[in-house]
Amino acid sequence: MQQQRNIVRTDDEVPVATNGPKGGGRIGAVRQRSQTRNPLTKTWTKRGPDGKFMDGKKDGTPFKGVRKER
């Protein structure tokens, strides 16, 4: 037979998930990547360090933190 345990916890005992320290993210542009706008589809496309296209955005806004090609 299994025994049932009544576990009573107060708010002090419950572990709480927290975010990390502020400002720990990226500063400036992502290196070795660039983005260009496709005039036909009017979307932004990201290019990797080897020159191949990596990803495209559907909403028409540029990628954050990726430099723009001229």
Side-chain angles (χ1 to χ4, degrees):
M1 232 183 188
Q2 287 184 345
Q3 257 183 343
Q4 285 187 346
R5 295 182 187 175
N6 292 333
I7 299 174
V8 178
R9 292 185 180 177
T10 62
D11 289 335
D12 296 335
E13 297 176 12
V14 177
V16 178
T18 59
N19 293 328
K22 288 187 178 181
R26 176 186 67 249
I27 298 173
V30 177
R31 294 182 179 261
Q32 299 179 353
R33 290 189 185 166
S34 62
Q35 63 182 334
T36 184
R37 188 157 192 268
N38 186 339
L40 289 175
T41 59
K42 297 185 172 81
T43 58
W44 288 90
T45 306
K46 188 166 37 177
R47 192 187 304 257
D50 55 355
K52 294 181 181 178
F53 291 115
M54 297 173 57
D55 193 15
K57 287 192 76 176
K58 292 183 180 180
D59 62 359
T61 59
F63 289 95
K64 289 174 67 174
V66 181
R67 70 173 181 213
K68 295 176 178 69
E69 293 180 8
R70 292 185 180 198

